[in-house]
Structures are given as C-alpha cells and as structure tokens.
Amino acid sequence: MALSRLSSRSTTLFQPLAAAFPTTLRRHISTDTTPITVETSLPFTSHLVEPPSRAVETSSSELLSFFRDMALMRRMEIAADSLYKAKLIRGFCHLYDGQEAVAIGMEAAITRRDAIITSYRDHCTFLGRGGGIFEAFSELMGRTTGCSKGKGGSMHFYKKDASFYGGHGIVGAQAPLGCGLAFAQKYSKEEAVTFTLYGDGAANQGQLFEALNIAALWDLPAVLVCENNHYGMGTAEWRSAKSPAYFKRGDYVPGLKVDGMDALAVKQACKFAKEHALKNGPIILEMDTYRYHGHSMSDPGSTYRTRDEISGVRQVRDPIDRVRKLIISHDIATEKELKDMEKEVRKEVDAAVAQAKESPIPEPSDLFTNIYVKGFGSESFGADRKELRATLP
Amino acid sequence: MAARIHVGAGAATALSTFNSKKLVAPPSRTNLPARSSKRYIVAAAGSDGSKKSLLRVRHSQKLIANAAVATKAETSATTGTGHELLLFEALQEGLEEEMDRDPHVCVMGEDVGHYGGSYKVTKGLADKFGDLRVLDTPICENAFTGMGIGAAMTGLRPVIEGMNMGFLLLAFNQISNNCGMLHYTSGGQFTIPVVIRGPGGVGRQLGAEHSQRLESYFQSIPGIQMVACSTPYNAKGLMKAAIRSENPVILFEHVLLYNLKEKIPDEEYICNLEEAEMVRPGEHITILTYSRMRYHVMQAAKTLVNKGYDPEVIDIRSLKPFDLHTIGNSVKKTHRVLIVEECMRTGGIGASLTAAINENFHDYLDAPVMCLSSQDVPTPYAGTLEEWTVVQPAQIVTAVEQLCQ
C-alpha cells in the first residue's frame, strides 16, 4: 500500500521508515498540540496594509482536524451531487467542493462568537460552524429535521447559536446584512467580527460597495471575504470585471490576496483580518480558490472552462491533498491512516444520508408556521380554499 | 397567540375612546350594549379556539359611544389633561419613549441624526442618544435597509427611515427577501423586529417619483405587517407598537399629515397593530379608508350628514393583515361598502380589500363593493392635474349617493 503511492503524491522519504515500524508505536490520531510552523505556499499580496508573515503556526491535531473536516465536506458535497441526480434534492444545489480550505481555515482562526454570513454556496460553511451532516442532508431533502425545518432548502442554511447567518439566495444581498451584523457587534461592544463572504460575481454588485462605504465610514468590525473561484456562474472573471483584483477594489479599504486552496494561509489571513478589523475597521480578503463542480447542479461546469483546467487544479492545488502531504511529511499519520479516516468519513456521510432519507416530511400545517413571530389569528388558505385552512399561529 | 405587545395599558380612557389598549383584561360589559349575537364572525375557522376568544374579548371592549362626526380634534382622549402636539412630534415622542425603554432600539436613515430628520421626526434624538443609536447613513437605501435587517437578526431593533417611501423601492430586495422571509426560511431561528417607516403618498406637487404609494407593492410580501397612521394619537401608538413587535412592520406615514394637531394622553398607551379604528359609527354605509383619505372622507361625511345619510367611517389602519373583524361587523350592519384609498386603482390596497370583503361577506352585501382609488397615472406636477389623480370629497359624496339608492 505505501509503496504503490511512492510515485504519485507522498514524499518518498518517510514511507520505508513507516513500513519498518509497527504502527502501534505511533498514535493513530495525534492530539498533539505542540506548534508546528509551516510556510504558506504563496506569499500574501496586500493593498494598503502590511501583509502577515508566511509562517503559520499550527499543530498536528489541527492539521488532522483540517484533513478530517475537509474530507467530510468533500464527501458531503459528492453525496449531495448523487442525491441531486437521484432527484432527492430538488431546485438549486450549489456545491463547494474545491473551496473547502476557505471554510476550514476561517473556522480555525475565529470563535463561534464571530459571525459568518455567506451566499447560497453554504453547505460546507454550515458544517464548519458546527452544523451536523444529518441536519444538512435533511434540509437538502426537505425534511423537518433539517436545520431550517425543511422550509429553506439548499440556499438557506442557518445556525443561530453558532452565529452562522446563512445562506442567501440573491447574489450580493448578504453584503449589507453582514454590515448590519458588524454594526450590531459594534453597538453591543462585543469584541467580535463578522466575516461576510461573497463571490467574484457578487463583487460587481452595487450593494457591496455601499456596504463597504458604510463599514469603512463607521469602522465596523467587518471582514469582507471574496471567494474568488474565477467564474461568476458561467462567466469568467476577466469577462465580467474590469479589475479582477478584488482585494484592491475596496480602494480606501485595505485588502489581502490569499491562496484560498491553502487552509493554513486562509487561517493566517483570517487571524490577521480579525485583529485588523477589531482595531481599524473593515478589510477585504480575496481567497483565490476554485470550484470543481459547475455553478450549480444544473450547470455541467465544462462549457465555459476545459476539463483539463479542472483536473489540472485538482492535481496541483487540491486543498485536501495539500494537507495530506503536510501530514505525511510531518509524520503525523500515514497514508493508510488517512485513507482509513476518509473511509470512516464516507461511512458517516452514508449513514447520515440514510437517516435523512427516513426523516419525516413536513406536515401541511407547517406551511403556515414561522411566517410571523407572533401571529394574530388571521386566516390563511391553501389553494383550494377548503382543504388547507389555517389560522396563522 | 393574540396576546401580544400591549404592556403599559395606561389610559383609563380605554372604554371611552375607540382604541382598546388593554388586551387581556376581562371586559367590563356593563357599559356595552348587548350586541353579542352579531359580534362573532370573521374568517378565522382556526384550530385554536382560545386564540379566537381572546380576539373576541379584545374587540368587544372596543365599543363606540361617540356618535358625533369625529374631526381630528375630537379623536383625542376625552378625559385627563393630555397634551397637544403635531403628528410628527407624536411620532418623535413614541420613538423617544421606546428608545428610553429599550437600549436595543436604534434609528438609521438619511439625515436622521444631526439634521434632525427631514420631517423632524427624529429631531433632538441624536443629541440625546448619540451617533450610534441615531445613525446618519449615506444615501444607500439597499445597504442601510439590509444593514438594519442584519442588525435585527442579532437582536437589535432598528427603526429604518426612508426619507420618502418611494426611495425604499431601491431596497425592495432586502425588504422582500430578507426582512419578510428570513424568519420562515430559517425555520424560525431569526426574528427581524425592524420598523421601516417613512412618508409616502401624494403631497403638494412633489412630482411623480416623490408621490408614490408603496403599500400596494409591499402588500404581497409574506411575513411583514403594514400599518398606516393618520392622527397624532394613532401615530404615536402605532409607532410604539411597531417597535415592540417581533415581526417586521412597515409604518406608512403621509407627507401632508405631519402637521396635524391633536391632544393625546399623557399616560403611556399603545395602539393595536392589527386593529381598525372606528372614526364615525353609522347605519347606512360603511366607508373604509386609511391615511390621508380619512380626512377627505370625513369632509364628505359632513356633506352626507347634511343630506341625510349616516355613513360609518372606519380607518382600517392595518393594511396587512386587514382587520376583517371590525370591517365584517360593519358590513353586517350596513350592507354597503365604499373603499376610499390613495393607492392606484390597479393592484392597490383597495383591490385586495374588495376581494377580501367579497369573499368573506358576500351574503351580507346589498350592493357591489365600490372602490375609489387614485388614477393609474404617474402623479403629475401641475396642481389641478394632481388634484384629479386623487379622490376628492365630492366624488365620495357622489359614490355614497349612488350606492345608497
């Protein structure tokens, strides 16, 4: 097993050693937190601010958790893909595979009191905030056990107790909302920041610049993160933006360009951004990332880009493989252990899918719940005006 | 769950005025005429009987003893000292009291802070509460409305002012998708207790873009409530109720009504957000109206009374949802309905109200529901043309005579 991998990815140096020693000598999952310093693959490019150092402090347990969580996210998105093709997930389904490093790196740098708000490509961000895969799959399949009780769907995942504010379908509409979250944090003097994620497509929305202006004017603790996967739906960034240097588009707002496929770089940047935002107001982070799937499940993803490009990125820049190499090179786990971890993750995801498939669909009366917080007995009808009648609760 | 908001019941004048404030207090039926048989209608065939009975309790207290044609001066509390003020001052008082009471309430909008508000509704508040609580925003309706909604998701209670309601069209996405729907799409996780307020309606030759009636565009958004104030009394009451409400509320004010003067109670009071106001009880015909048209109707009512008619005038106040209880009671009494509104004819509040009345009270109608609305034109600048776009008292008189034949 180890030798077969020699030619492809793993560093050759440690494999023979690992094979020589029995695996019981090394713990399977390392909970070792002694700091390891790793250099990010690329330097940071900055605008109006001193970039942070390339040396990132991490630990074995963190790297392993990165690997596991990213593998879980990747597996979840692939499962969602098959569920969609099996018509168990309907409507729109926007998958995040390829971009996992952004969600994971961000989580590593912040606390649950910091708020995150994102667009419709929110499945993995939800997981990163502590959401469960069972809730995620239930929501995708429209069951009551879903995180939004089946009434939101793929684009409306929320988790209030983890300060995850969704999940928004309209491109760019989350930018002003994110400023509102930051405003509330400043108002309540919470010493927390808000990460407002948007894509390269949304970067051309007027409301984003309105929100930037407001955030900069009032020194709101807002970090605006542009997840630049280089395609706004089906249009490449060079065809939709005059200036694709999204981190510079804040003009008076400082910006940082980050390799979004490197979870440690993301972590470093987010840590830096949080400190900056708490002291000096907003900052833009541009995460240079890539999505393997198309914009959504109805988009094959290959009409506006070549398959070679996709597989090229997958081979050279895949975030999970990068962490895998790091783990193996730092001797934290073997290739086999990582493979086992992936298998475990796969089983977990399959179990969650199976459980979600068994979950109940919402009752007809659920149509009328949660329209108002406190209803007032006004009546509402279903289409036929006889069968489905309810007093709005 | 009809028992909402109403704390601070204050006014002992509850029974002598038409706006009931005490919600859950047992009704003292002594001074109410026996109308029990006619009272209980309404569309609610709801599953929760207890809810309905509270609804009934509330409305049965709201009995009207005042038979005179109510002009603005007479709608005030008739007992106690009270104090006289203008409508914009009443709004300010309500806002200030709520900001004193709850530190989560904040105001945001253009020129609300240092300038004092373009219609002086927020005058003096920035000096008292500071720049963060009374926030002067740049001119970006989409962004600051969204910002208010985002802040509300975390628990703040912003009062978002549109300098003119028409400008909020730029924020329609935020109001529709985020404000109205987030409570639903998040499965109940987030509440959006915002108040979106501002002046709208046809003013004095302000031009087409500044004379819009947005209630017709917003009325389909699920999850929001809409109210329109028309007197200083209900302006303050509705402002306070809207701020205390957990639902997003859009409060429609009118540009021409800001300088109305009225005496309002000194004690704290709140108006019910879902209740209509009986302005003038009558027997012959029900006239439903709201906001500025209330005054045109009352002017027409004077003429009608002289001609021997007895119109019942109801200010519906709650544009979404309609107070079908009060309206229904009235229809069952008079059997004729005239709706007078300032919205456009097509797709306005009157259109929805006509449909609702026809559906629910068809058997009680002796004549088709007539609806007088503004013309389906952009409001012209020329004064005479502007007058013709809006419903005038003479037209109301003619309509009543026609209906009552």
Side-chain angles (χ1 to χ4, degrees):
Chain A
M1 39 98 208
L3 292 171
S4 62
R5 288 283 166 203
L6 268 175
S7 53
S8 53
R9 299 178 188 139
S10 327
T11 55
T12 57
L13 185 57
F14 292 103
Q15 289 313 307
L17 279 176
F21 286 94
T23 49
T24 48
L25 265 187
R26 282 192 354 263
R27 286 167 48 206
H28 179 57
I29 304 289
S30 172
T31 49
D32 190 359
T33 49
T34 49
I36 305 172
T37 311
V38 182
E39 280 255 315
T40 64
S41 53
L42 293 171
F44 297 106
T45 332
S46 70
H47 170 71
L48 291 185
V49 75
E50 272 301 305
S53 128
R54 277 176 74 176
V56 186
E57 232 181 57
T58 178
S59 68
S60 351
S61 68
E62 185 172 66
L63 284 175
L64 277 167
S65 79
F66 276 10
F67 181 82
R68 190 174 201 289
D69 292 338
M70 286 205 278
L72 184 67
M73 290 178 178
R74 177 70 60 91
R75 197 73 246 154
M76 180 181 80
E77 296 296 68
I78 295 177
D81 179 306
S82 6
L83 284 174
Y84 192 90
K85 289 177 177 145
K87 291 210 188 335
L88 280 164
I89 300 179
R90 315 304 301 275
F92 292 128
C93 187
H94 306 88
L95 299 178
Y96 201 72
D97 53 327
Q99 300 182 208
E100 299 93 350
V102 177
I104 284 293
M106 191 179 294
E107 279 306 320
I110 61 177
T111 68
R112 287 284 154 79
R113 284 182 55 241
D114 297 309
I116 296 187
I117 186 169
T118 181
S119 66
Y120 42 78
R121 209 177 292 279
D122 56 353
H123 307 167
C124 298
T125 325
F126 172 73
L127 276 193
R129 286 264 92 179
I133 38 174
F134 171 63
E135 278 82 35
F137 282 117
S138 305
E139 185 62 35
L140 287 172
M141 293 197 263
R143 311 295 168 107
T144 45
T145 44
C147 49
S148 301
K149 306 208 181 110
K151 300 204 283 198
S154 160
M155 298 187 282
H156 299 286
F157 280 23
Y158 305 93
K159 195 165 166 58
K160 185 170 187 182
D161 53 9
S163 307
F164 177 54
Y165 291 89
H168 295 276
I170 303 295
V171 170
Q174 73 272 19
L177 287 183
C179 280
L181 299 174
F183 174 77
Q185 283 170 336
K186 181 171 179 142
Y187 190 98
S188 317
K189 301 193 177 56
E190 274 177 28
E191 294 298 305
V193 299
T194 301
F195 282 81
T196 306
L197 282 69
Y198 60 95
D200 48 296
N204 299 317
Q205 275 263 327
Q207 48 191 329
L208 181 71
F209 294 95
E210 292 178 13
L212 254 180
N213 179 40
I214 289 180
L217 189 62
W218 299 323
D219 286 325
L220 300 183
V223 179
L224 289 111
V225 181
C226 178
E227 293 179 295
N228 182 9
N229 54 27
H230 307 286
Y231 294 94
M233 271 210 7
T235 308
E237 66 177 341
W238 61 271
R239 291 182 66 225
S240 63
K242 180 74 179 169
S243 158
Y246 298 106
F247 68 107
K248 284 195 190 154
R249 301 230 298 204
D251 186 21
Y252 38 82
V253 174
L256 200 64
K257 182 162 175 168
V258 186
D259 178 5
M261 304 297 252
D262 181 353
L264 291 171
V266 172
K267 173 186 167 186
Q268 181 83 324
C270 291
K271 200 153 139 271
F272 172 76
K274 176 171 174 177
E275 279 158 22
H276 185 276
L278 281 174
K279 281 204 313 271
N280 305 329
I283 179 171
I284 299 182
L285 296 179
E286 182 187 337
M287 303 284 178
D288 188 348
T289 178
Y290 199 84
R291 54 167 163 81
Y292 298 141
H293 272 90
H295 164 74
S296 71
M297 285 307 298
S298 48
D299 169 24
S302 47
T303 53
Y304 46 87
R305 50 187 191 172
T306 60
R307 290 196 199 278
D308 288 336
E309 182 188 305
I310 306 173
S311 52
V313 174
R314 207 189 271 271
Q315 270 169 4
V316 178
R317 296 179 66 201
D318 185 72
I320 301 183
D321 281 344
R322 174 168 284 151
V323 174
R324 191 198 311 263
K325 279 185 205 154
L326 267 175
I327 291 178
I328 291 172
S329 69
H330 280 90
D331 206 15
I332 302 170
T334 60
E335 177 96 27
K336 177 171 189 306
E337 286 169 338
L338 294 179
K339 275 260 177 287
D340 288 340
M341 218 189 278
E342 283 181 309
K343 283 206 196 98
E344 217 179 282
V345 158
R346 183 170 191 155
K347 270 202 231 124
E348 212 179 297
V349 167
D350 289 340
V353 169
Q355 200 186 355
K357 278 186 188 162
E358 302 297 312
S359 300
I361 52 175
E363 294 291 309
S365 59
D366 284 341
L367 183 62
F368 301 110
T369 55
N370 300 129
I371 294 185
Y372 293 107
V373 180
K374 283 178 185 173
F376 20 77
S378 60
E379 201 179 50
S380 195
F381 299 93
D384 61 358
R385 313 203 69 78
K386 288 192 193 60
E387 269 294 302
L388 215 53
R389 268 171 102 108
T391 316
L392 288 188
Chain B
M1 286 182 68
R4 316 177 48 199
I5 332 167
H6 306 80
V7 185
T13 57
L15 294 174
S16 60
T17 65
F18 358 103
N19 303 303
S20 73
K21 295 145 228 60
K22 286 196 181 121
L23 188 56
V24 191
S28 55
R29 290 222 154 87
T30 50
N31 54 347
L32 309 177
R35 301 172 73 167
S36 38
S37 51
K38 267 204 210 170
R39 182 144 298 279
Y40 308 109
I41 29 96
V42 178
S47 45
D48 191 342
S50 64
K51 228 178 300 188
K52 257 191 331 164
S53 60
L54 272 177
L55 211 64
R56 293 171 189 174
V57 159
R58 186 175 71 215
H59 286 285
S60 60
Q61 290 176 70
K62 200 197 58 174
L63 247 281
I64 293 74
N66 187 348
V69 172
T71 60
K72 8 182 185 155
E74 289 171 32
T75 55
S76 60
T78 48
T79 69
T81 45
H83 55 285
E84 214 176 42
L85 42 52
L86 304 176
L87 196 144
F88 73 85
E89 289 169 345
L91 286 167
Q92 185 199 17
E93 231 179 60
L95 188 48
E96 195 172 342
E97 282 174 21
E98 289 304 302
M99 287 181 81
D100 277 328
R101 181 177 170 271
D102 183 353
H104 291 105
V105 180
C106 54
V107 184
M108 47 184 80
E110 296 157 15
D111 281 339
V112 294
H114 294 189
Y115 190 82
S118 46
Y119 292 94
K120 296 181 278 199
V121 173
T122 49
K123 190 160 173 206
L125 295 183
D127 293 326
K128 183 171 175 189
F129 296 107
D131 278 345
L132 203 60
R133 276 189 87 182
V134 185
L135 195 60
D136 275 326
T137 62
I139 306 176
C140 47
E141 280 77 11
N142 197 345
F144 70 72
T145 309
M147 194 176 97
I149 295 166
M153 283 166 94
T154 65
L156 290 193
R157 307 182 81 92
V159 176
I160 302 170
E161 171 172 318
M163 191 183 272
N164 186 296
M165 276 309 224
F167 306 160
L168 290 182
L169 285 172
L170 290 160
F172 205 111
N173 175 52
Q174 297 291 345
I175 296 174
S176 168
N177 290 332
N178 294 331
C179 180
M181 300 194 199
L182 262 174
H183 185 62
Y184 190 84
T185 54
S186 66
Q189 283 180 71
F190 297 112
T191 62
I192 319 285
V194 294
V195 177
I196 298 176
R197 49 160 293 267
V202 175
R204 297 247 182 272
Q205 297 186 259
L206 298 177
E209 289 169 358
H210 292 74
S211 313
Q212 303 203 62
R213 283 77 78 191
L214 252 52
E215 52 268 24
S216 48
Y217 305 147
F218 288 149
Q219 65 179 319
S220 316
I221 301 176
I224 56 158
Q225 279 186 255
M226 306 200 306
V227 286
C229 62
S230 48
T231 65
Y233 181 83
N234 63 34
K236 178 176 175 184
L238 289 174
M239 169 74 94
K240 288 171 71 91
I243 293 176
R244 293 189 195 190
S245 166
E246 294 298 320
N247 298 325
V249 179
I250 306 186
L251 171 58
F252 290 92
E253 302 152 12
H254 197 285
V255 273
L256 294 181
L257 297 183
Y258 277 129
N259 289 323
L260 282 180
K261 196 184 274 202
E262 189 186 4
K263 203 177 206 196
I264 64 169
D266 288 326
E267 312 86 54
E268 198 184 13
Y269 69 92
I270 303 179
C271 290
N272 191 334
L273 283 177
E274 301 97 30
E275 213 166 28
E277 187 178 322
M278 178 70 73
V279 185
R280 179 194 187 281
E283 295 291 325
H284 289 165
I285 179 173
T286 300
I287 305 183
L288 301 173
T289 180
Y290 67 93
S291 195
R292 179 165 168 246
M293 288 297 114
R294 167 188 175 137
Y295 297 96
H296 281 207
V297 168
M298 292 316 293
Q299 211 180 325
K302 280 205 196 110
T303 320
L304 287 168
V305 163
N306 288 339
K307 292 195 175 184
Y309 295 96
D310 187 19
E312 177 154 294
V313 180
I314 296 179
D315 180 344
I316 60 174
R317 261 181 14 194
S318 172
L319 305 178
K320 184 183 166 90
F322 293 131
D323 181 3
L324 288 177
H325 185 98
T326 311
I327 295 172
N329 278 352
S330 180
V331 173
K332 290 190 175 189
K333 186 171 57 162
T334 65
H335 310 297
R336 288 178 166 78
V337 181
L338 172 69
I339 302 172
V340 180
E341 56 157 0
E342 206 176 339
C343 267
M344 318 279 235
R345 173 150 220 80
T346 307
I349 297 286
S352 306
L353 193 51
T354 308
I357 294 175
N358 278 327
E359 254 165 30
N360 290 303
F361 308 118
H362 185 260
D363 292 333
Y364 298 95
L365 290 170
D366 282 346
V369 175
M370 193 187 277
C371 181
L372 297 179
S373 342
S374 299
Q375 304 302 320
D376 279 332
V377 297
T379 312
Y381 164 72
T384 43
L385 290 181
E386 187 187 62
E387 241 177 67
W388 292 335
T389 55
V390 174
V391 179
Q392 299 297 336
Q395 295 165 317
I396 302 173
V397 173
T398 317
V400 170
E401 291 176 334
Q402 211 179 331
L403 268 179
C404 284
Q405 269 164 357

